[in-house]
Amino acid sequence: MIINKLLLILIISPFVAALTGKELLDFAVKQYTKAVHEIKTGVRCPSIGKPTATAWDTLPVVTSDFRVGFYPGILWYLYEYTNDKTWKELAITATEAEADIQYINRTHDIGFDIMGSFGNGYRLTKNEKYSKVIVTAANTLATRFNPKVGCTRSWNSKKPDQFIVIADNMMNLELLFEGSRLSGNQTLYDMAVSHTNVTIREHLRADYSHYQVVMFNETSGQVMKKYTVDGYADHSCWSQAQGWLVSGLTTAYRYTRAEHILRAAEGVAKYFIDKSPADGIPYWDYDVPHDSNHTYIPRDSSAAATAASGLIELYEFTKNDKYLIGFKRIIESLSGDRYRADAKPEYKIPALFLNGTTSFKKSIYDTAMIFGDYYYVKSFKYYLNL
């Protein structure tokens, strides 16, 4: 037992020694102080950042894109960590500009958008106006629920019999859980639990990798097809969705305390850790062949950051050191010269780290990703002892 404890200290200690909360926070404040001077907060939100660009690509604040809630979320975390009211004022401006998203029913990503902005805002301010937005948004998302399938619809389809659900959608269920908690509406909670159970049953494989997409028959609820859109192949495991599952299933356990959900969260977490390279940052897909036909295989730092936020919460629930070690390895790597956004003189983007991959197939890789920065900043809580 003593030897095992010593080995654990040796494994963990390099990561503890390399980082402090102050170092992480100082860098984030420096980079986002630059970013806010380039972004029209309350009008546009950052999405993707090319390493040599001086400003982020941006999106309008009210859109169905899943990324617009992350910028307000980062601002809220910076306010929480610094107690600087400048960040609070920016966060309020960015958040309240997105209020109309609560009514958008054409996308499942309303969960990402509302919880990043209004969810964090309510957590820190207890502004009842924000809680009402969360509840309204949860009821909007609930309109996409199909009781035959047991899930909320992810992507819309032109074919009336197709009901498409993606693994990523686990991340949107926090809106249903939180909407239920704030309103007392049990139906919202039941929908989120149902969707979680179907995801575990249909998306997860025996080894806890996943199918990104499951197509159901909208009328019967039967599975029609399992496949991928963003991953390497239908049989492969796309690392970004694996990261979503680590975080999403852990969140579902937070609200339900259901043991079968915890087992699933641990399963996908162990897969993420065990299948990733030594630095904890996965390739964009775990199953891309490393051969002469694939001469360059990008990493996905944003998948790692997402997973890290789930791993540290999973550690808090289980006290399993595997998750703590995995978490620290990721944060240490993202903070090092290989991934950090200021690691080379030619890097100008006011982000925190690079090498994010949204879609290798669409040539979107080796960039800064706003959602990667969000989950990275969220993880600072551990280092700041909050």
Side-chain angles (χ1 to χ4, degrees):
M1 180 66 71
I2 293 173
I3 292 174
N4 288 338
K5 285 183 178 293
L6 287 172
L7 287 173
L8 180 61
I9 291 169
L10 287 172
I11 292 169
I12 293 179
S13 59
F15 302 105
V16 174
L19 288 176
T20 68
K22 184 177 186 305
E23 289 168 343
L24 290 168
L25 182 56
D26 285 350
F27 180 59
V29 168
K30 182 185 81 169
Q31 293 296 87
Y32 273 85
T33 296
K34 290 189 286 187
V36 297
H37 287 299
E38 301 293 337
I39 297 166
K40 294 181 179 178
T41 300
V43 179
R44 308 287 295 184
C45 283
S47 56
I48 292 176
K50 301 175 183 66
T52 57
T54 57
W56 288 81
D57 293 350
T58 61
L59 295 162
V61 293
V62 178
T63 176
S64 58
D65 193 286
F66 83 100
R67 293 168 291 185
V68 295
F70 296 117
Y71 175 59
I74 290 170
L75 299 175
W76 281 117
Y77 276 117
L78 292 179
Y79 164 62
E80 179 180 10
Y81 299 157
T82 65
N83 202 31
D84 184 337
K85 290 184 179 180
T86 300
W87 295 113
K88 181 180 182 181
E89 291 167 3
L90 285 164
I92 290 172
T93 298
T95 294
E96 296 185 356
E98 297 186 358
D100 285 347
I101 292 176
Q102 67 184 297
Y103 306 114
I104 296 178
N105 63 6
R106 62 181 180 272
T107 177
H108 63 294
D109 285 330
I110 186 175
F112 275 118
D113 296 336
I114 292 296
M115 291 308 297
S117 54
F118 288 92
N120 281 304
Y122 180 71
R123 180 176 62 84
L124 293 173
T125 69
K126 297 301 184 246
N127 185 331
E128 288 302 319
K129 182 171 66 174
Y130 293 176
S131 69
K132 291 177 182 178
V133 170
I134 293 168
V135 171
T136 298
N139 282 291
T140 298
L141 179 58
T143 65
R144 299 181 65 82
F145 185 83
N146 181 313
K148 283 287 186 181
V149 176
C151 290
T152 58
R153 185 191 298 272
S154 298
W155 296 333
N156 300 320
S157 175
K158 294 180 180 178
K159 297 184 178 180
D161 63 328
Q162 294 180 354
F163 192 95
I164 298 171
V165 180
I166 62 175
D168 323 27
N169 206 351
M170 275 301 306
M171 296 296 289
N172 289 294
L173 300 185
E174 185 175 14
L175 176 61
L176 294 177
F177 281 123
E178 189 65 8
S180 173
R181 188 185 72 84
L182 292 172
S183 67
N185 184 342
Q186 182 68 27
T187 298
L188 297 174
Y189 178 91
D190 292 343
M191 288 177 176
V193 171
S194 174
H195 189 124
T196 301
N197 289 336
V198 174
T199 297
I200 293 170
R201 185 180 74 236
E202 301 297 352
H203 285 267
L204 300 190
R205 303 182 179 114
D207 64 354
Y208 288 102
S209 64
H210 71 275
Y211 295 100
Q212 183 199 3
V213 187
V214 178
M215 180 188 295
F216 297 88
N217 181 286
E218 184 165 3
T219 302
S220 69
Q222 296 299 305
V223 174
M224 299 169 65
K225 184 181 179 182
K226 297 184 179 184
Y227 59 104
T228 192
V229 169
D230 296 297
Y232 170 70
D234 291 345
H235 68 269
S236 72
C237 182
W238 181 44
S239 63
Q240 189 171 121
Q242 194 73 14
W244 296 134
L245 286 165
V246 173
S247 186
L249 285 166
T250 301
T251 298
Y253 176 71
R254 184 204 313 149
Y255 282 96
T256 64
R257 293 302 197 267
E259 286 300 313
H260 73 285
I261 295 177
L262 178 61
R263 287 195 299 273
E266 292 198 82
V268 295
K270 289 173 181 175
Y271 186 99
F272 193 100
I273 293 169
D274 292 344
K275 298 293 184 179
S276 293
D279 67 356
I281 312 302
Y283 293 97
W284 72 277
D285 190 293
Y286 287 103
D287 297 298
V288 178
H290 290 243
D291 58 24
S292 59
N293 293 322
H294 302 85
T295 56
Y296 181 61
I297 307 174
R299 301 292 188 96
D300 188 359
S301 57
S302 54
T306 304
S309 73
L311 290 174
I312 191 57
E313 187 172 11
L314 197 54
Y315 169 73
E316 290 167 356
F317 289 135
T318 66
K319 301 306 177 186
N320 185 330
D321 290 314
K322 183 181 183 75
Y323 309 135
L324 178 61
I325 294 167
F327 163 78
K328 289 184 176 180
R329 182 176 294 119
I330 289 169
I331 300 302
E332 169 78 5
S333 295
L334 295 179
S335 305
D337 288 344
R338 178 165 184 172
Y339 301 100
R340 199 163 127 145
D342 65 348
K344 295 181 181 180
E346 62 268 28
Y347 291 170
K348 306 297 183 185
I349 189 69
L352 303 183
F353 59 86
L354 304 172
N355 297 99
T357 301
T358 295
S359 176
F360 182 68
K361 293 177 179 179
K362 298 175 183 177
S363 298
I364 305 173
Y365 58 90
D366 288 346
T367 66
M369 301 286 182
I370 192 63
F371 62 91
D373 276 11
Y374 172 83
Y375 290 108
Y376 180 68
V377 171
K378 181 180 178 182
S379 297
F380 290 2
K381 283 188 173 186
Y382 174 82
Y383 290 92
L384 294 165
N385 298 313
L386 296 178

